[in-house]
Amino acid sequence: MEVAGGARADVHVPYILVHSDREIRRLSHQAGIINPITRRILLSAGISPGMRVLDVGCGAGDVTFLVSEMVGSEGQVIGADRAPAALAAAEGRAATHPIQNVSFREGDPAALSFDRPFDAVIGRYVLMFQADPVAILRGVARHLRPGGIIVFHEPDWDGCRSSPPAPTYDDCCRWIVETFRRSGIETNMGIKLDAAFRAAGLTAPSMHLEAVVGGTKSGFGWSHQTAELIVTMLPEIQSRGVATAAEVDIETLGQRMQREIEAGSVIVSRSEVGAWSRAPT
């Protein structure tokens, strides 16, 4: 499949996080923590009521529904994704969503056709899974109207740390990063957004960085999220030789992290990086 600029976008890094019911629940829990950061990125980029927005790689719709609230009943949001299981979950949620301004399309967002252009194209945790993120950016940017906004929110896993050291949490971050890297997934996509935007022919983006940080008051939610991600990734962690089941000890993993936080450790998430720019007028 050819996209704008002649680059190919049909080579995708395998998506190792699957779309099980448990993983979709993990993503929903993650959204509860991360959505305030995404909202601030989108507001800074200029997302506002009445806009027509394309959510690239929407999955089960966590960002889609967030944006639908931002654009309101006068706006419209279309979520696009390749994964039928994730889209089925998204469509089920849409039936009970209070604002009926959301719809979904199955397929490669760069290749899909729409009846008219969008005011904004957005995505969260999408480019890190692409073999050629520049080609994807070029492809989805063609859906923008002149002067439209393109916004991506991506992680930089080098931001993970703890102080005083929380060994179990630090091990989890190391296992996640190494497994991603051995799978061809870009763990530092957030910090590479500027270069990717410019290589795709977009103007140099404005950027924003935040992280989740917490100790005994607010660290437990993120430690639970980290443990659940390890549950999803455990088959890949083992098959790629990153850690054994005994080293992970999944049954006690969450409890061990909680004890480290209770002992006084503060944990810091990966860096959450947003970048945005406008299409030429």
Side-chain angles (χ1 to χ4, degrees):
M1 178 270 295
E2 292 288 329
V3 298
R8 295 190 64 82
D10 55 352
V11 180
H12 291 258
V13 175
Y15 187 73
I16 66 173
L17 300 185
V18 303
H19 292 288
S20 67
D21 290 344
R22 182 166 184 167
E23 173 61 8
I24 289 173
R25 288 195 300 271
R26 181 193 71 81
L27 291 171
S28 179
H29 176 263
Q30 175 181 260
I33 300 172
I34 299 299
N35 272 2
I37 297 175
T38 303
R39 180 186 291 273
R40 285 189 283 274
I41 291 168
L42 295 174
L43 285 172
S44 296
I47 302 299
S48 58
M51 280 187 165
R52 173 177 158 88
V53 179
L54 174 64
D55 180 16
V56 173
C58 66
D62 293 310
V63 176
T64 312
F65 294 114
L66 168 66
V67 178
S68 76
E69 295 169 1
M70 297 176 69
V71 301
S73 58
E74 299 302 312
Q76 179 188 24
V77 187
I78 298 177
D81 201 288
R82 289 170 168 262
L87 288 175
E91 288 170 347
R93 295 171 66 184
T96 60
H97 190 60
I99 307 175
Q100 296 297 304
N101 61 352
V102 171
S103 60
F104 296 94
R105 293 277 301 275
E106 182 180 341
D108 184 337
L112 290 171
S113 297
F114 299 94
D115 60 352
R116 54 194 174 95
F118 292 87
D119 299 306
V121 171
I122 67 171
R124 182 170 75 188
Y125 307 156
V126 174
L127 300 178
M128 65 182 291
F129 294 104
Q130 308 304 318
D132 189 347
V134 172
I136 295 298
L137 282 169
R138 287 196 190 107
V140 299
R142 70 185 177 86
H143 297 310
L144 282 172
R145 65 167 175 79
I149 302 165
I150 185 164
V151 195
F152 276 84
H153 173 173
E154 299 286 335
D156 186 325
W157 279 88
D158 282 355
C160 295
R161 59 194 185 277
S162 62
S163 182
T168 306
Y169 175 74
D170 293 342
D171 282 343
C172 286
C173 293
R174 177 172 54 82
W175 295 332
I176 292 165
V177 167
E178 187 57 27
T179 302
F180 277 163
R181 287 177 176 165
R182 293 186 188 188
S183 305
I185 295 164
E186 177 54 71
T187 61
N188 302 120
M189 192 66 233
I191 208 70
K192 296 183 177 182
L193 284 170
D194 177 81
F197 271 55
R198 290 185 289 107
L202 299 164
T203 57
S206 300
M207 300 183 74
H208 178 89
L209 182 150
E210 290 190 39
V212 177
V213 57
T216 53
K217 184 174 182 180
S218 55
F220 297 133
W222 190 252
S223 69
H224 172 75
Q225 175 63 209
T226 303
E228 284 295 302
L229 180 54
I230 292 290
V231 170
T232 294
M233 293 181 63
L234 187 57
E236 293 287 336
I237 290 170
Q238 293 177 265
S239 67
R240 296 183 183 276
V242 174
T244 66
E247 287 173 316
V248 175
D249 189 6
I250 201 71
E251 297 300 325
T252 68
L253 187 65
Q255 296 170 351
R256 284 182 281 137
M257 275 193 280
Q258 182 169 327
R259 286 198 298 267
E260 291 168 358
I261 294 169
E262 289 171 343
S265 289
V266 171
I267 60 173
V268 183
S269 75
R270 69 218 173 198
S271 298
E272 304 288 340
V273 183
W276 60 92
S277 66
R278 288 187 176 270
T281 56

